[in-house]
Amino acid sequence: MNIYETIFEVIDMRSFSNLWYWIGLAVLWSTASHYVLGVPFDLAQRAKRRGGETMQDLEDLVRINVGRLLNIAEVSGLLLTALSTGLITLLAVTGFVYGIEFCQAVFLMVFPMSVIALLNLRTAHRIRNEAPKGDMLYSFLRRHRFYTQLVGMLSIFITGMWGMYQNLDLGPFGGI
């Protein structure tokens, strides 16, 4: 057995029947909903409860992360947009037109995360423009987390349905 056969046997390019894909998907969405604009949501909840110095820490951390996100968007936003849309299009075409399951699986992870990236930018712009403090800032973060979780639930549902369809359509041996 050569190295390529070993790698493909361990990785299993049939993604939707691979347990590691589903674990990765769960970790992806768990992390995306926990870190709101790069700030751990438990820190936001603690700041809302305690106030004072903890709230000031939250405001500082949000200000830093908002500045970082908006700086990245202003400096290299056009290039990142072109590269990401090119990658997403490549994955969609190779996955759904040419039927490569690995590309379908990656697309179903990357495309919703691009929606989250747009939500992050939208919320960052609102925070910079309105400069909320205290409970209002927590409200912004909570609303953003809700929309992230909504996109995540929809994405997991669509990915699950597509994965079941692929597994039922191809059978246990990949259509052999």
Side-chain angles (χ1 to χ4, degrees):
M1 182 180 284
N2 66 23
I3 187 72
Y4 296 113
E5 290 175 8
T6 305
I7 289 172
F8 281 110
E9 186 176 318
V10 170
I11 294 176
D12 185 15
M13 297 304 278
R14 288 203 52 232
S15 301
F16 297 114
S17 62
N18 190 337
L19 178 63
W20 289 108
Y21 175 74
W22 297 105
I23 291 172
L25 186 70
V27 168
L28 174 77
W29 284 110
S30 174
T31 303
S33 69
H34 180 69
Y35 289 97
V36 180
L37 295 177
V39 177
F41 195 69
D42 64 318
L43 176 68
Q45 290 176 320
R46 191 172 1 169
K48 170 125 172 83
R49 278 195 314 271
R50 293 183 185 167
E53 187 178 327
T54 310
M55 183 59 80
Q56 184 61 44
D57 290 345
L58 174 69
E59 291 170 359
D60 291 341
L61 191 54
V62 168
R63 181 184 48 79
I64 291 167
N65 285 340
V66 163
R68 183 182 59 84
L69 281 172
L70 294 177
N71 183 46
I72 290 170
E74 291 166 3
V75 170
S76 56
L78 184 61
L79 179 64
L80 287 174
T81 302
L83 289 175
S84 62
T85 54
L87 174 68
I88 290 170
T89 302
L90 177 73
L91 289 170
V93 169
T94 55
F96 296 103
V97 175
Y98 293 108
I100 299 173
E101 187 175 322
F102 180 75
C103 293
Q104 293 171 2
V106 174
F107 174 82
L108 289 170
M109 291 174 92
V110 171
F111 180 71
M113 290 309 292
S114 68
V115 173
I116 298 302
L118 293 175
L119 282 173
N120 283 341
L121 286 175
R122 180 178 156 258
T123 303
H125 277 290
R126 285 193 64 205
I127 288 174
R128 182 178 64 182
N129 293 339
E130 297 179 25
K133 301 283 184 196
D135 288 342
M136 184 63 85
L137 177 62
Y138 176 78
S139 175
F140 274 55
L141 296 177
R142 191 187 67 222
R143 188 176 311 114
H144 180 77
R145 183 174 191 231
F146 172 76
Y147 288 129
T148 299
Q149 289 175 333
L150 196 64
V151 170
M153 286 188 311
L154 183 63
S155 171
I156 290 169
F157 177 76
I158 291 170
T159 303
M161 290 295 113
W162 184 257
M164 283 191 290
Y165 170 74
Q166 289 294 98
N167 288 334
L168 291 172
D169 187 44
L170 295 176
F173 301 109
I176 296 176

